[in-house]
Amino acid sequence: MSSGRGIASKTGVPVEDLVLDRVAGGWGDMADFSIARETLLHQADVAAAGGRRQVAENFRRAAELVGVPDDMILRIYDALRPFRATPSELATLAAQLRLQFHAPECARWVEEAAEVYASRGLLRTVESAGP
Amino acid sequence: MSQSRRFAVRAAREINKDTFIQEWPEAGLVMLGAPADPRPSLRIENGEIIEMDGKLRDQFDMIDTFVARHSIRLDVAEEAMATDSLQLARMLVDIHVPRADVIRRMNGLTAAKLVEVVSHLNVVEMMMALQKMRVRRTPANQAHVTNRKDSPALLAADAAEAAFRGFAEIETTVGVARYAPWNALAVLVGSQTGRSGVLTQCAVEEAMSLQLAMKGLTTYAETLSVYGTDPAFIDGDDTPWSKGFLASAYASRGVKIRFTSGTGSEALMAHANGHSMLYLEALCLLMTKGAGSQGVQNGSISCIALPESLPGGVAGVAAENLLAAMLDLEVATGNDAMASHSDIRKSAKLMLQFLPGSDFIFSGYSSIPKQDNMFGGGNLDADDLDDYLVLQRDMKVDGGLRPVREEETLAVRRRAAEALAVVFEAFGFPPITRAEIDRAVAGYASSDMPDRDMAADLAAAERFLTGPETVLGAVRALAKNGFPDIARNILEIERQRVIGDYLQPAAIFTRDFDVLSGVTDANDYRGPGTGYRLTGPRWDEICDIPQAYDPQLPQTPVSGITLELEECGETIVGSGPEVVIAVGPAFGTRLQQTVNDLPLASVLGQLLAGIAEEGVPARLIKIYRTSDLGQISFEGSRLSGSGIAIGIQSKGTTVIHRRGLLPLNNLELFSQASQLSLEHYHRIGRNAAGYALGRPVEPLLVPVDNMARLKYIVKTTILHRHETECVESGRPPELLRIKPRSRV
């Protein structure tokens, strides 16, 4: 069994304490069963050590997103779909990621998308019918 | 209309229901080498790609830009691109070049170069390369579990059975989208009843899919589709950046993902831009890689009939699987959607993934009947499971499944449905009834399931999705109501999401929640004697199909008629017009019925009756020194007063012999004992008597069955082995008498 020695959940509960007796007794919610930023950074190191650079980069972006709420995640995803966001909307999301959520890699991802979308005509303009 | 009946018969065959077309490169209807496909090229300046596959940076479209920025390893690109494609192709199959060395070079190739490399391989070489290049050493398989009514009890039972049968992942989806949280829950509970550690997912719209994962109801997602041209991607309402963001989002919630791509999708959307299917697929795989997805499902997936309509289509699909493995991506190798009407063609295609093994041989084997497959697939389905299990045993190949017994399977199905009923009750959902459970256990398909109140169900499912309840509520309900083991398995799945080892490439769990992945179970194939080898308990398990019986077990009597013979001392040479019936050494002792289960008592009775009808006396003798029919009858004819003998082995093979003929020559030979009826034995008796009387005899014609050898060769071998074991080499023939009470 992957014991996860030394690993704690997002809420700081050691994985050794994530046991049935406690949960059956009413303890815990999904946050206690959520992966922590540090764990994803560790997984990124494991991937990088195996020569999997892009997998590692994805885990580092994921580590940044641990603290981003579900609805914000869904909002960013939607804004990254074609013709959804104006340049300033994407810039605002990137700024929020960088400043509010300390997610610089994710911010860069959104900015890069904004730059490419601008050159490829994939942004929402005033004329186009956005949602 | 064919003039020839043979052509007409062939025209009506299943294969001719498939569609075949000639290539049309401009429409993307070509596997390889479209005129618009670029030649490989790469130029790097100041750490940035300034030219790729014949395009300068300012000509890059959205996909080119993504690939150039994220997918190609610049530190190895110049060396790799400068290596001859043929040499790279040879490295793929060269057992002296380790996988890691090949991967390092492939990381630096452009799409056009990747395609050029695989184009040098024939299909056998592709299989060799897939065996070497797949990420995980141990092959595995994925199941599809869905049903037309979205019946929760049936989903749970089917997921349990799929898990029990060895599938490492189970994918479900919905008939009605709002059922998603229920279906995900049913498959989760079912899977952890059948076998701990099976990963589950529910394929629905992205936002919903993410919500299910956040509630702890799924452990992986693979609906992240990518396309090889800008317009196709945009028609799919995504970009490489939106999909890449989703990949990070899922990982941030501890959920494994893989992307989806496949040849033909761009042509189907009329956006192939004149490119070949494999070139566009190489771009898809590079985007998958660049986004940091640990893997992909490809192999044309739902478009499979499109490449299969083209020359080289099936080989091309094997090539796209291989391209994924070359890029160090976990690959779930298709075989899910309907690929052909022809069973021959389906099986042949399957071999290209089945024989080398892949991370998931099917990206969804329809473990439920076709009619319930809501992915529109089911190339192989529940009805074909025994065929698949036999293929594993035939080829000595691990296809990821194991044989099961009916009784234990039904017990697992029942337990899963009962466990889900307990969870439903705890959540206050409309109940799962006893009748539903019974039908879910033993029915064939959702058509056997009672109808539920859909409106009430959907309302409850929606409340569940938007409400505060999560998987932990299900864990509590199971723990408190007699299913602590299932509760523990589900909780362990949730705990593993915190640990995150299963986010690494090609990860699956064993039943003990050990992770098998590219990190813990890396493919180390280096030729014979290395890599995954099917041995030990796993091989024994695959061998143990329920149909296989112990050939050493004694014959099971099929009738109550037992022949009992009495030995009456050594035989002398007879005189006058008699017929000798010479039987084999096991006749009426160890063996009591022929290969087609005729009681030997009845067979003997008919032979005697036929002889008696002609007014000829008969003597019965047993030959001990041989089990060979020629020798048995030869010996019989030597002792017969008329020189005529019927030789018969215990398995029923019979000959009429005349003294003076060589042992392998005869008057009449009935070599296919399986075709003989009691009536035939009666007539054999009459014919033998006719020869003894010296009158003309019309030989008996027995129908020939081309399948007889197939059906009976094993039984024949076993029976003949028994007969031969009864041989006593020095013992002379004995006269036999039938004990009265066994006479027929």
Side-chain angles (χ1 to χ4, degrees), chain B residues 72 78 87 90 231 275 293 311-313 383 396-397 402-403 419 428 435 442 516 549 557 631 636 652 654 742:
Chain B
I72 297 172
E78 279 177 325
Q87 194 191 332
R90 287 177 178 166
H275 289 301
S293 169
D383 295 353
K396 201 169 181 181
V397 158
R402 67 190 196 95
L516 298 182
Y549 64 91
Q631 295 293 333
T654 305
S742 76

Side-chain angles (χ1 to χ4, degrees), chain B residues 2-219:
Chain B
S2 295
Q3 295 177 327
S4 151
R5 282 195 55 214
R6 290 186 188 176
F7 275 82
V9 165
R10 280 189 292 265
R13 297 259 296 186
E14 292 296 299
I15 190 71
N16 286 317
K17 295 181 185 167
D18 288 358
T19 307
F20 301 97
I21 57 170
Q22 290 151 11
E23 293 173 346
W24 182 12
E26 293 73 20
L29 293 170
V30 60
M31 287 314 292
L32 195 65
D37 287 352
R39 297 188 57 76
S41 76
L42 190 75
R43 278 200 298 143
I44 301 169
E45 227 174 69
N46 303 323
E48 281 184 45
I49 292 174
I50 56 158
E51 182 201 317
M52 184 173 72
D53 289 344
K55 266 196 226 172
L56 297 175
R57 185 165 53 185
D58 58 5
Q59 300 168 304
F60 284 179
D61 63 12
M62 172 182 81
I63 289 171
D64 296 326
T65 306
F66 187 88
V67 167
R69 290 196 190 180
H70 297 286
S71 308
I72 297 172
R73 288 285 294 260
L74 300 187
D75 50 340
V76 293
E78 279 177 325
E79 177 206 344
M81 288 296 289
T83 309
D84 182 33
S85 293
L86 184 59
Q87 194 191 332
L88 291 168
R90 287 177 178 166
M91 284 179 186
L92 286 167
V93 294
D94 184 346
I95 60 172
H96 303 295
V97 181
R99 178 180 184 276
D101 290 5
V102 184
I103 294 285
R104 196 178 63 80
R105 288 177 170 82
M106 298 299 163
N107 278 337
L109 302 186
T110 63
K113 182 80 170 180
L114 284 164
V115 172
E116 196 173 86
V117 171
V118 290
S119 70
H120 285 296
L121 301 175
N122 67 30
V123 75
V124 176
E125 289 156 350
M126 286 180 210
M127 288 199 276
M128 288 168 65
L130 185 58
Q131 171 169 255
K132 170 175 164 178
M133 298 307 296
R134 70 166 187 263
V135 173
R136 191 188 331 104
R137 176 170 40 198
T138 311
N141 216 336
Q142 184 199 103
H144 280 168
V145 171
T146 57
N147 70 64
R148 200 155 287 281
K149 289 186 178 171
D150 291 315
S151 158
L154 186 58
L155 283 170
D158 281 333
E161 179 170 343
F164 189 62
R165 286 181 176 273
F167 289 102
E169 282 187 353
I170 298 175
E171 178 181 20
T172 189
T173 189
V174 287
V176 177
R178 286 168 290 160
Y179 272 124
W182 270 26
N183 290 14
L185 177 67
V187 166
L188 176 66
V189 170
S191 66
Q192 299 315 302
T193 310
R195 199 271 276 171
S196 44
V198 171
L199 299 172
T200 60
Q201 70 151 329
C202 182
V204 283
E205 182 273 325
E206 299 291 9
M208 169 91 85
S209 184
L210 202 52
Q211 269 180 294
L212 298 177
M214 288 163 180
K215 271 187 173 299
L217 298 173
T218 54
T219 33

